[in-house]
Amino acid sequence: MGVDVNYHIIEEGISNVRALVFSRNKGKVFLIKRTKKDRPVYWTYPGGHVEDGETVQETLEREILEELGIRICKVEPFMNYEFEDGSKQLFYTCKEAEEFERVEPTGPEFTTPREDNKFEVHEVDLEEIKNLNVLPEEITEMFCFKYDLD
């Protein structure tokens, strides 16, 4: 039985949650490829800002629907991460809910795209995350360790 994240209390200073989202296509996960002006291309995990009054579950459901166009289930805590600037994010694992149809993403990254800040959703083989520049690196290393990706 999974952890109930509906009542997960957001620690002070945590404003974002992200997740390694497993696709309904076996062995695949969703990642976001980011291309920003004056910065090397990098990849990241879907998720985003916790809005006032939202639980972790509600934030992940909203953000992942906005960014990936999918619904999720089996949300499990993975780890807390503190960046060099002192900001904190919570990381989770979850799965794409198979009983729902995929829809077009509706987040601002898609409704008002910018040439200097590209945002592309990709389904990649889980094994590939170790070969991509997925940030934060420490989270990716922990995912690789957890899923025995050499």
Side-chain angles (χ1 to χ4, degrees), residues 71-147:
R71 302 221 181 252
I72 56 170
C73 62
K74 298 184 180 175
V75 177
E76 297 284 339
F78 185 70
M79 74 183 288
N80 296 0
Y81 184 78
E82 185 169 344
F83 291 87
E84 288 179 8
D85 66 2
S87 63
K88 300 174 187 174
Q89 290 188 3
L90 299 175
F91 284 82
Y92 290 79
T93 60
C94 59
K95 294 184 178 184
E96 177 181 8
E98 294 187 28
E99 63 271 17
F100 293 99
E101 204 172 303
R102 291 181 179 180
V103 298
E104 288 297 315
T106 59
E109 304 87 353
F110 300 98
T111 58
T112 53
R114 294 179 18 210
E115 233 2 81
D116 64 339
N117 188 6
K118 292 184 181 177
F119 186 99
E120 301 170 42
V121 175
H122 291 266
E123 252 182 286
V124 301
D125 290 328
L126 178 61
E127 290 278 333
E128 281 301 303
I129 69 170
K130 66 180 181 277
N131 300 322
L132 300 171
N133 181 27
V134 185
L135 302 178
E137 291 175 6
E138 295 86 352
I139 298 295
T140 301
E141 289 170 7
M142 293 302 294
F143 280 135
C144 290
F145 179 76
K146 178 176 180 170
Y147 296 103

Side-chain angles (χ1 to χ4, degrees), residues 22-55:
F22 287 86
S23 167
R24 64 178 67 169
N25 297 317
K26 192 163 178 77
K28 301 236 182 228
V29 295
F30 290 96
L31 291 177
I32 297 165
K33 183 179 178 183
R34 301 296 308 269
T35 307
K36 293 184 175 185
K37 187 178 179 180
D38 301 325
R39 183 173 178 177
V41 172
Y42 68 97
W43 299 73
T44 191
Y45 302 98
H49 185 73
V50 178
E51 296 190 0
D52 287 341
E54 275 188 329
T55 64

Side-chain angles (χ1 to χ4, degrees), residues 63-75:
E63 286 288 343
I64 290 171
L65 184 59
E66 287 176 5
E67 293 179 1
L68 306 180
I70 65 169
R71 302 221 181 252
I72 56 170
C73 62
K74 298 184 180 175
V75 177

